[in-house]
Amino acid sequence: PFEARKIVRGWELLIEKFFKINLINPIYDVHGTQTLEIDNGLRTRYENVDFKKLVERELFEIQKEDTKGSFVIQPGNFFSIGAYHEMVYTYNLGKKVYTLIMNGHHEHPWVNYHSNKVFTKWYELNSFIFDNFSLREGFEKSQVLKELLNLELINREIENAD
């Protein structure tokens, strides 16, 4: 999961660079210091975690008026219980949920019920973003398309990640 989340973070930053969209990643944007400690092996995933505070901070971010929805990304064999809870919570607030699920559960009734759109490949999600979000000024369509095509390599990397 750690390799997968680093790859997802790289994708996220690239999407924010090219498109007029601000993505909040709870792992990095909400729990930054804690995440860096885990990523650097200074503590384990669940060590010294205030679970109530962790969940409430994530729910607070979802509830914000300027939060329009969620991208739920479940790459490769990665499985995040928190991501599915965030999906349901976001959807129940009437906000949009776009789910990339590559672990074989893309047809699960709960995933489909709580998602406005489900993708199984990075290029499908990237194409959707390209078609539905505005490019930032200074970027050419061809430049962004090239970068998005390169992101398909992420799909293969994640399939082989832990």
Side-chain angles (χ1 to χ4, degrees):
F2 295 109
E3 186 61 31
R5 78 181 191 192
K6 290 176 186 175
I7 292 169
V8 170
R9 180 61 167 177
W11 169 85
E12 175 184 298
L13 295 173
L14 192 59
I15 292 299
E16 286 182 323
K17 173 183 169 184
F18 290 131
F19 294 92
K20 294 179 182 177
I21 184 170
N22 183 28
L23 302 172
I24 302 297
N25 181 327
I27 295 171
Y28 289 95
D29 300 325
V30 178
H31 312 293
T33 303
Q34 177 180 310
T35 299
L36 293 176
E37 290 175 357
I38 294 168
D39 285 354
N40 292 318
L42 301 176
R43 67 178 176 151
T44 63
R45 190 173 181 183
Y46 301 117
E47 182 181 353
N48 300 322
V49 174
D50 182 339
F51 296 105
K52 186 176 185 330
K53 186 176 179 182
L54 182 143
V55 171
E56 288 177 354
R57 280 191 296 193
E58 291 184 17
L59 296 180
F60 175 77
E61 290 297 323
I62 294 169
Q63 292 173 22
K64 285 182 174 178
E65 186 176 333
D66 62 341
T67 299
K68 305 301 181 199
S70 293
F71 286 95
V72 178
I73 300 179
Q74 298 290 273
N77 293 321
F78 183 69
F79 179 81
S80 169
I81 294 171
Y84 289 112
H85 282 66
E86 292 163 6
M87 173 182 68
V88 171
Y89 191 76
T90 303
Y91 184 86
N92 285 340
L93 288 173
K95 298 181 179 198
K96 299 287 186 188
V97 177
Y98 305 109
T99 304
L100 170 64
I101 186 163
M102 300 164 62
N103 60 19
H105 296 288
H106 58 279
E107 293 181 349
H108 195 286
W110 280 81
V111 170
N112 283 274
Y113 181 87
H114 292 97
S115 299
N116 295 89
K117 190 152 183 66
V118 177
F119 308 93
T120 59
K121 301 282 186 206
W122 281 104
Y123 72 84
E124 295 169 345
L125 175 59
N126 293 331
S127 294
F128 175 82
I129 291 170
F130 197 90
D131 292 342
N132 291 280
F133 294 91
S134 300
L135 283 173
R136 293 189 185 277
E137 288 184 35
F139 291 105
E140 298 288 328
K141 182 177 179 178
S142 60
Q143 173 191 11
V144 176
L145 281 173
K146 181 179 176 183
E147 290 290 333
L148 290 177
L149 288 173
N150 288 336
L151 287 176
E152 180 58 23
L153 296 174
I154 293 172
N155 183 4
R156 291 187 207 112
E157 288 180 44
I158 289 178
E159 287 174 356
N160 297 320
D162 54 358

